[in-house]
mmCIF file of all heavy atoms in Angstrom:
data_model
loop_
_atom_site.group_PDB
_atom_site.id
_atom_site.type_symbol
_atom_site.label_atom_id
_atom_site.label_comp_id
_atom_site.label_asym_id
_atom_site.label_seq_id
_atom_site.Cartn_x
_atom_site.Cartn_y
_atom_site.Cartn_z
ATOM 1 N N GLU A 277 -51.024 11.957 -61.903
ATOM 2 C CA GLU A 277 -51.805 12.738 -62.840
ATOM 3 C C GLU A 277 -50.953 13.733 -63.625
ATOM 4 O O GLU A 277 -51.450 14.670 -64.215
ATOM 5 C CB GLU A 277 -52.913 13.487 -62.092
ATOM 6 C CG GLU A 277 -53.991 12.545 -61.560
ATOM 7 C CD GLU A 277 -54.957 13.235 -60.619
ATOM 8 O OE1 GLU A 277 -54.772 14.453 -60.383
ATOM 9 O OE2 GLU A 277 -55.872 12.566 -60.115
ATOM 10 N N VAL A 278 -49.623 13.517 -63.644
ATOM 11 C CA VAL A 278 -48.727 14.359 -64.438
ATOM 12 C C VAL A 278 -48.940 14.029 -65.906
ATOM 13 O O VAL A 278 -49.412 12.949 -66.252
ATOM 14 C CB VAL A 278 -47.262 14.109 -64.034
ATOM 15 C CG1 VAL A 278 -46.331 15.104 -64.681
ATOM 16 C CG2 VAL A 278 -47.129 14.198 -62.521
ATOM 17 N N SER A 279 -48.577 14.945 -66.780
ATOM 18 C CA SER A 279 -48.762 14.704 -68.206
ATOM 19 C C SER A 279 -47.934 13.507 -68.666
ATOM 20 O O SER A 279 -47.003 13.070 -67.997
ATOM 21 C CB SER A 279 -48.341 15.952 -68.993
ATOM 22 O OG SER A 279 -47.005 16.270 -68.703
ATOM 23 N N LYS A 280 -48.279 12.996 -69.837
ATOM 24 C CA LYS A 280 -47.602 11.812 -70.367
ATOM 25 C C LYS A 280 -46.096 12.050 -70.485
ATOM 26 O O LYS A 280 -45.638 13.146 -70.761
ATOM 27 C CB LYS A 280 -48.160 11.468 -71.748
ATOM 28 C CG LYS A 280 -49.610 11.031 -71.726
ATOM 29 C CD LYS A 280 -50.073 10.684 -73.124
ATOM 30 C CE LYS A 280 -51.534 10.268 -73.122
ATOM 31 N NZ LYS A 280 -52.023 9.928 -74.460
ATOM 32 N N MET A 281 -45.315 10.976 -70.305
ATOM 33 C CA MET A 281 -43.863 11.092 -70.389
ATOM 34 C C MET A 281 -43.289 9.912 -71.150
ATOM 35 O O MET A 281 -43.932 8.877 -71.298
ATOM 36 C CB MET A 281 -43.245 11.156 -68.995
ATOM 37 C CG MET A 281 -43.624 10.004 -68.092
ATOM 38 S SD MET A 281 -43.001 10.261 -66.441
ATOM 39 C CE MET A 281 -44.484 10.030 -65.490
ATOM 40 N N SER A 282 -42.086 10.067 -71.631
ATOM 41 C CA SER A 282 -41.396 8.978 -72.318
ATOM 42 C C SER A 282 -40.071 8.752 -71.622
ATOM 43 O O SER A 282 -39.551 9.620 -70.930
ATOM 44 C CB SER A 282 -41.149 9.334 -73.790
ATOM 45 O OG SER A 282 -40.312 10.458 -73.886
ATOM 46 N N PHE A 283 -39.497 7.551 -71.796
ATOM 47 C CA PHE A 283 -38.267 7.210 -71.108
ATOM 48 C C PHE A 283 -37.105 8.118 -71.502
ATOM 49 O O PHE A 283 -36.216 8.375 -70.740
ATOM 50 C CB PHE A 283 -37.881 5.757 -71.409
ATOM 51 C CG PHE A 283 -38.814 4.766 -70.788
ATOM 52 C CD1 PHE A 283 -39.202 3.637 -71.486
ATOM 53 C CD2 PHE A 283 -39.301 4.952 -69.513
ATOM 54 C CE1 PHE A 283 -40.053 2.707 -70.908
ATOM 55 C CE2 PHE A 283 -40.157 4.028 -68.920
ATOM 56 C CZ PHE A 283 -40.535 2.907 -69.631
ATOM 57 N N GLU A 284 -37.111 8.615 -72.755
ATOM 58 C CA GLU A 284 -35.952 9.343 -73.267
ATOM 59 C C GLU A 284 -35.928 10.822 -72.885
ATOM 60 O O GLU A 284 -34.934 11.499 -73.089
ATOM 61 C CB GLU A 284 -35.912 9.227 -74.792
ATOM 62 C CG GLU A 284 -35.719 7.809 -75.310
ATOM 63 C CD GLU A 284 -37.007 7.002 -75.312
ATOM 64 O OE1 GLU A 284 -38.076 7.629 -75.167
ATOM 65 O OE2 GLU A 284 -36.943 5.765 -75.414
ATOM 66 N N THR A 285 -37.023 11.351 -72.354
ATOM 67 C CA THR A 285 -37.108 12.807 -72.189
ATOM 68 C C THR A 285 -37.345 13.228 -70.744
ATOM 69 O O THR A 285 -37.957 14.251 -70.487
ATOM 70 C CB THR A 285 -38.231 13.368 -73.075
ATOM 71 O OG1 THR A 285 -39.475 12.776 -72.678
ATOM 72 C CG2 THR A 285 -37.980 13.092 -74.534
ATOM 73 N N ILE A 286 -36.885 12.451 -69.783
ATOM 74 C CA ILE A 286 -37.074 12.803 -68.380
ATOM 75 C C ILE A 286 -36.419 14.142 -68.061
ATOM 76 O O ILE A 286 -37.005 15.005 -67.408
ATOM 77 C CB ILE A 286 -36.499 11.703 -67.474
ATOM 78 C CG1 ILE A 286 -37.334 10.434 -67.593
ATOM 79 C CG2 ILE A 286 -36.460 12.169 -66.016
ATOM 80 C CD1 ILE A 286 -38.760 10.584 -67.131
ATOM 81 N N ALA A 287 -35.207 14.361 -68.541
ATOM 82 C CA ALA A 287 -34.506 15.620 -68.266
ATOM 83 C C ALA A 287 -35.288 16.809 -68.820
ATOM 84 O O ALA A 287 -35.417 17.844 -68.155
ATOM 85 C CB ALA A 287 -33.099 15.579 -68.865
ATOM 86 N N ASP A 288 -35.828 16.668 -70.046
ATOM 87 C CA ASP A 288 -36.610 17.761 -70.634
ATOM 88 C C ASP A 288 -37.854 18.057 -69.800
ATOM 89 O O ASP A 288 -38.221 19.228 -69.597
ATOM 90 C CB ASP A 288 -37.030 17.398 -72.061
ATOM 91 C CG ASP A 288 -35.833 17.343 -73.002
ATOM 92 O OD1 ASP A 288 -34.821 18.018 -72.705
ATOM 93 O OD2 ASP A 288 -35.904 16.633 -74.018
#
Side-chain angles (χ1 to χ4, degrees):
E277 291 170 0
V278 189
S279 58
K280 294 181 181 180
M281 55 186 128
S282 62
F283 291 140
E284 296 80 14
T285 61
I286 292 297
D288 292 335

